[in-house]
Amino acid sequence: MTQATDDERRLLLIEAERLGLIVPPAAIAGVVANQRLLARHYDVVHGALADEAP
Amino acid sequence: MIRVPDTASAIAAGVRDGRLSAQGIALDTLDRIARHDGLNAVTRLLGQRALADAARVDAAVAVGRDPGPLAGVPFAVKDLFDVAGETTSAGARQRAGAPAAGQDAEVVARLCAAGAVLVATTNMDEFAYGFSTENAHHGTTRNPHDPERLAGGSSGGSAALVGAGLVPLALGSDTNGSIRVPASLCGLFGLRPTFGAVSVAGVYPFVERLDTVGCFARSPQDLAIAHAVMLGQALTPAAGGRPRVAVLGGWFAGRAAAGVLAGIDRIAAHLEAGPPVVLRSAAAARSAGFLLTGAEGGHRHLSALRRDAMAFDPVTRDRLIAGALQPVAAVRDAERIARRFVDEVADALVDHDLLLAPATPMSAPRIDATTIVVDGQTLSARADLGLHTQPLSLAGVPILSAPLRQPDGTMPIGVQLIAGPGRETLLFETAASLVAAGLVACSPAPVRAEAA
């Protein structure tokens, strides 16, 4: 698992705080890895929708 | 020690005509499961309940009452089905203090009313979020064909028990493939029924828009009997005539081991399939399923994550938090793709009765493997086990995973038989015909021979 960057950590903590969630330090790297995976899936979804756009 | 038949139908026939004792079968089953705890498939043996239920079945037979179509058949349930008097763990340590269930889940109650005898609850990925049955609290369930390999998940404990020949029937749940994936890796028949057809009352939810419950079995006939009981109505035979069949191409053909594709080609030839069908949005639908699952799963557990995130299995926790943090736009776009894919599947099922696709891209990965190269591509040995099941879940159609007949010593792998909503009978009949043709077979696991 690639280390989370400082920007990724900062953004994660801000987003989590908005949901009233405190991300345990032990979870940060794993959550960021999952966020990257979800972002890749979103790219696929977004790309498929863009393909059908007029 | 008695010789317990392999299938539910043979056990029920023996109990109904008095050749076999339900109590004897229950005792033998409990003993064999306890002796094979190396599989790590079971979270709880239900000895007292099993013996009491079996005694009731024997008493019914003794006085000439109908004990039901599953008389004396031992079965197990994934530890997310309510069992009266037991806490439903859903694979989570943090639920250990939850109140015990007041009654059985509806499908459990129906199976027991048909004479089946519940013997155990089984291991799973925490909150059903995974394809591997690696659980930080209960450990990893081992594949009965090779204990160094995954059983698949999230209903892996149930699949491992049936695969090892320790019970002929077990229940699982299938949201994104959690019955079909372990059925494929353990070499079993497993059914994801039509969405909404079988009651999920008393079943711990994961993603309600996708959750289904179904059965693992060693024969299509057993699967059909159990499905009818769970459905609460007799099955009607499929309409006559040769089914119109096609193999799913595109996404479903490009990321699979050569062996599974060859097996599907043999089945397609036998069923005189027409040209392959490509579902244009399959790749995007798989990604949409990933996003929607993360979002709903994350929000379901958000309050518990706020209270004590460290109580979760770390792997589940990290997935759930990331899922809950997704932007609304991602969920909205995933919904659009899901709707588009549902239409594509429905269109394909206008011209076809049956579609074929791999159940998993590969046979069971080694437990210590993180990636596997298939078809020249590096796949995750966990998340990508659901490559071919996950998009199809969105369509809500019934899908039966059937084990391809393999040379001796080869790890099992399955094919998905996909039909239109409510057409489970076509799936059972087709699977039975493929068994008869020698194209599909539930091969004995080495651990099964020891268990006998």
Side-chain angles (χ1 to χ4, degrees):
Chain A
M1 182 164 26
T2 315
Q3 286 293 310
T5 66
D6 287 345
D7 282 351
E8 285 173 322
R9 285 167 180 265
R10 239 188 328 268
L11 186 59
L12 165 60
L13 297 178
I14 291 168
E15 288 172 339
E17 193 181 2
R18 285 180 187 153
L19 283 181
L21 189 61
I22 296 167
V23 180
I28 290 175
V31 174
V32 168
N34 278 283
Q35 286 185 302
R36 290 175 182 162
L37 179 61
L38 289 166
R40 286 199 292 276
H41 281 295
Y42 186 39
D43 284 347
V44 175
V45 164
H46 202 253
L49 290 172
D51 284 348
E52 76 168 11
Chain B
M1 193 68 65
I2 58 170
R3 172 81 179 96
V4 178
D6 287 340
T7 63
S9 23
I11 291 172
V15 170
R16 288 168 64 87
D17 67 17
R19 282 180 291 117
L20 293 171
S21 141
Q23 291 171 88
I25 290 167
L27 269 174
D28 182 76
T29 301
L30 291 162
D31 177 61
R32 286 189 301 148
I33 292 174
R35 282 192 284 118
H36 287 84
D37 61 353
L39 282 174
N40 202 31
V42 165
T43 54
R44 198 185 291 133
L45 274 176
L46 302 167
Q48 206 173 352
R49 169 182 169 139
L51 295 176
D53 286 352
R56 273 192 288 279
V57 171
D58 286 336
V61 173
V63 297
R65 266 194 293 124
D66 182 356
L70 292 171
V73 174
F75 77 107
V77 297
K78 185 177 185 176
D79 203 348
L80 50 55
F81 288 83
D82 281 354
V83 173
E86 307 287 342
T87 295
T88 308
S89 82
R93 181 185 57 193
Q94 56 273 40
R95 285 192 47 78
Q103 58 187 23
D104 290 343
E106 187 164 339
V107 288
V108 174
R110 286 184 179 190
L111 289 168
C112 292
V117 174
L118 179 62
V119 295
T121 56
T122 61
N123 199 15
M124 57 184 285
D125 293 284
E126 189 183 66
F127 295 121
Y129 204 170
F131 287 124
S132 59
T133 311
E134 294 168 293
N135 185 299
H137 319 305
H138 297 295
T140 299
T141 293
R142 308 270 168 170
N143 191 303
H145 290 266
D146 179 349
E148 299 304 315
R149 293 179 185 273
L150 294 172
S154 63
S155 311
S158 287
L161 274 191
V162 178
L166 297 169
V167 289
L169 288 178
L171 296 188
S173 62
D174 188 315
T175 301
N176 286 303
S178 287
I179 289 174
R180 291 163 287 160
V181 168
S184 175
L185 302 194
C186 293
L188 304 170
F189 296 90
L191 177 72
R192 172 187 169 89
T194 304
F195 179 78
V198 176
S199 170
V200 293
V203 182
Y204 196 92
F206 177 24
V207 181
E208 289 186 45
R209 59 181 289 149
L210 300 173
D211 289 346
T212 60
V213 299
C215 206
F216 296 98
R218 302 185 63 81
S219 78
Q221 291 83 0
D222 282 0
L223 209 54
I225 295 167
H227 179 67
V229 168
M230 290 163 70
L231 202 59
Q233 61 189 62
L235 302 179
T236 48
R242 182 178 287 279
R244 300 162 300 164
V245 181
V247 175
L248 287 181
W251 172 258
F252 296 95
R255 291 162 188 79
V260 69
L261 295 177
I264 290 173
D265 283 346
R266 286 193 292 274
I267 291 173
H270 175 75
L271 296 174
E272 299 182 15
V277 166
V278 175
L279 303 171
R280 203 166 57 89
S281 302
R286 193 271 175 138
S287 288
F290 222 95
L291 301 176
L292 295 170
T293 296
E296 185 169 332
H299 282 277
R300 173 173 306 286
H301 295 285
L302 190 55
S303 58
L305 288 165
R306 286 179 182 132
R307 277 197 309 276
D308 186 5
M310 294 304 282
F312 283 71
D313 181 326
V315 171
T316 318
R317 173 197 65 206
D318 298 352
R319 287 178 188 149
L320 290 171
I321 293 175
L325 294 177
Q326 289 182 90
V328 170
V331 177
R332 192 189 58 219
D333 289 347
E335 297 275 9
R336 288 176 60 193
I337 289 292
R339 284 195 294 276
R340 192 162 92 183
F341 185 70
V342 168
D343 290 343
E344 289 175 16
V345 173
D347 286 348
L349 288 168
V350 169
D351 295 327
H352 301 89
D353 299 300
L354 207 58
L355 302 170
L356 308 174
T360 49
M362 59 193 106
S363 57
R366 287 183 56 85
I367 290 170
D368 57 9
T370 54
T371 58
I372 287 192
V373 176
V374 173
D375 189 26
Q377 298 172 78
T378 302
L379 302 180
S380 159
R382 305 290 185 280
D384 286 339
L385 287 171
L387 269 183
H388 301 120
T389 54
Q390 191 158 21
L392 294 167
S393 288
L394 295 168
V397 296
I399 307 173
L400 193 157
S401 178
L404 290 170
R405 183 164 192 170
Q406 301 270 60
D408 287 349
T410 307
M411 288 298 290
I413 193 162
V415 54
Q416 294 184 91
L417 311 177
I418 305 146
R423 301 196 72 188
E424 278 84 348
T425 308
L426 174 64
L427 300 179
F428 300 137
E429 291 176 2
T430 304
S433 77
L434 295 176
V435 172
L439 294 167
V440 154
C442 190
S443 58
V447 71
R448 186 160 162 256
E450 297 165 30

